[in-house]
Amino acid sequence: PAVEPELSAAATRAAPRDVTSACRCERAPVGTGCAQMRGPPMQSKFITALLAASALVAPAYAQDKQDDIVVTATRVETPVRDLPADVTVIDAEDALSHGQTTLSQALEDTPGLGVVQSGGPGQQTSVFASGTNSYHTLVLFDGINVNDLTSPNSAFDGGQDQINSISRIEVVEGPMSAVFGSDAVGGVINQIARHGGAGPLNARLAFAAGSFETLNATAGIDGTLGNFRYAITGEAFTTEGFDLVPARMVTHTGEKDGAESFAVTAVFDLQVVPTFSLDLLARHRRSRADIDVFDLEFAFPFRETRAESGDAEIAQNDVTIARLGATWDLSEALSLRATIGGVDQDRAANR
């Protein structure tokens, strides 16, 4: 068993806006839209009114976000406004409402992150933070290291995970090695698990179908019963996919490269007494994906081409996470936290 740190707190952030006059703008951040007005009087009045309304709304919104708390950057609860690091928080519900169901889709619009996918959903996906290599980006699930130890350089594969079982994603960019070790040279991505909400029972059910015979389903329940909170989520994804070899290549045959993944996540919290609480996190994910390998020609011009391989696949890419934690609040300024748990990864490939 390995002791894992606890990292979880609600947080979002937005940069404050400074909107000046619509007719004269000597200093304006990106996105304020200020410009010299040379149009008709009616157009000038309309734009002036629009920018004035933005000036009234934006600062209040920004102030609310600056007061939020994150813990990934420092391991302790810290307001966003006090952090020297660049922190981005992605709300899982907002991402799902935009049709972003996988972790890679939720991360692809994050400033400073490069998300490179080798095919469709379920295929190998690398995440590059702050211009570093993919193995310099540390990925956590509720504070637990889930970088793939079975892959070269322990780089994280972001193509298999969905976001239905998490509440948000905290992304901290820049060197974080002093806090998390050498795996965090480029930054840290922390998936915060969903916890029980208000009320005794809250149910969630979603189903979607699309092209390439793609099916995506999720079901979950959560709630609070006295001093006990619970959240259980099941996720399933499958697709026939498409040929990863482009049609322009001579090795293209049209063979489909599919993928599938299934996951169950459970989080339980018990407030034993006002100053002492217990929590349990358990998660199991099972996934597989068809792949096409690259072959090198051992003759001039020694080209490397992607070739069809009906038997090539990531036959097994399973992850199991378990953690038991205890928190003792000694005072308002001091608390003790102890956890025990571990991660088990099984990966097998056929070529």
Side-chain angles (χ1 to χ4, degrees):
V3 176
E4 295 289 345
E6 170 70 6
L7 299 175
S8 59
T12 50
R13 183 186 69 162
R17 294 184 178 180
D18 180 17
V19 181
T20 60
S21 169
C23 296
R24 183 180 182 186
C25 185
E26 297 179 354
R27 179 175 62 87
V30 175
T32 57
C34 292
Q36 290 289 344
M37 304 308 303
R38 301 183 183 274
M42 183 60 70
Q43 180 182 359
S44 300
K45 292 180 180 180
F46 173 77
I47 297 180
T48 301
L50 179 62
L51 293 178
S54 300
L56 292 175
V57 176
Y61 173 80
Q63 182 63 36
D64 292 341
K65 301 305 180 183
Q66 290 294 307
D67 288 338
D68 283 337
I69 306 297
V70 295
V71 297
T72 304
T74 60
R75 291 185 183 267
V76 295
E77 296 182 353
T78 308
V80 171
R81 64 175 181 273
D82 295 338
L83 291 173
D86 185 9
V87 181
T88 302
V89 179
I90 303 169
D91 184 85
E93 293 297 335
D94 289 345
L96 289 170
S97 67
H98 288 82
Q100 299 171 331
T101 60
T102 65
L103 179 62
S104 59
Q105 292 172 341
L107 293 174
E108 62 186 7
D109 295 329
T110 304
L113 282 187
V115 180
V116 180
Q117 196 162 2
S118 62
Q123 298 296 331
Q124 173 74 35
T125 302
S126 300
V127 182
F128 302 85
S130 305
T132 61
N133 291 312
S134 61
Y135 54 84
H136 287 150
T137 302
L138 177 63
V139 180
L140 310 173
F141 189 92
D142 213 60
I144 302 175
N145 187 342
V146 291
N147 275 28
D148 191 353
L149 299 178
T150 65
S151 67
N153 300 311
S154 300
F156 177 74
D157 179 5
Q160 280 68 44
D161 289 314
Q162 300 189 73
I163 61 173
N164 298 284
S165 62
I166 63 177
S167 61
R168 68 190 180 281
I169 307 168
E170 294 181 2
V171 181
V172 183
E173 297 183 51
M176 297 297 297
S177 299
V179 182
F180 293 98
S182 60
D183 289 339
V185 172
V188 179
I189 300 171
N190 191 13
Q191 307 169 71
I192 307 299
R194 182 189 296 269
H195 289 254
L201 177 62
N202 306 303
R204 295 173 286 110
L205 179 64
F207 178 83
S211 56
F212 306 110
E213 301 184 33
T214 301
L215 300 176
N216 193 352
T218 179
I221 57 173
D222 66 84
T224 302
L225 301 172
N227 295 331
F228 177 70
R229 292 193 302 161
Y230 67 94
I232 303 174
T233 304
E235 304 165 295
F237 171 83
T238 180
T239 180
E240 288 295 320
F242 53 87
D243 193 350
L244 298 180
V245 178
R248 67 178 183 274
M249 300 181 66
V250 296
T251 54
H252 174 82
T253 64
E255 178 198 25
K256 295 181 179 179
D257 297 301
E260 59 186 37
S261 66
F262 306 92
V264 177
T265 305
V267 179
F268 304 101
D269 300 279
L270 177 62
Q271 192 73 40
V272 181
V273 294
T275 59
F276 183 76
S277 62
L278 297 172
D279 59 87
L280 175 65
L281 167 67
R283 173 178 169 83
H284 177 71
R285 188 208 70 202
R286 177 169 57 87
S287 64
R288 60 160 300 277
D290 298 325
I291 59 175
D292 287 329
V293 299
F294 286 86
D295 287 333
L296 177 64
E297 296 180 357
F298 291 96
F300 186 81
F302 302 102
R303 295 174 300 181
E304 187 178 38
T305 58
R306 196 168 197 172
E308 296 286 8
S309 180
D311 297 328
E313 63 173 346
I314 303 297
Q316 182 183 22
N317 193 357
D318 301 348
V319 177
T320 302
I321 303 172
R323 182 192 62 202
L324 176 64
T327 304
W328 184 16
D329 297 322
L330 300 178
S331 66
E332 293 185 358
L334 178 63
S335 63
L336 298 179
R337 170 75 174 166
T339 62
I340 184 171
V343 179
D344 180 67
Q345 294 181 313
D346 295 310
R347 184 184 179 99
N350 297 326
R351 177 170 178 173

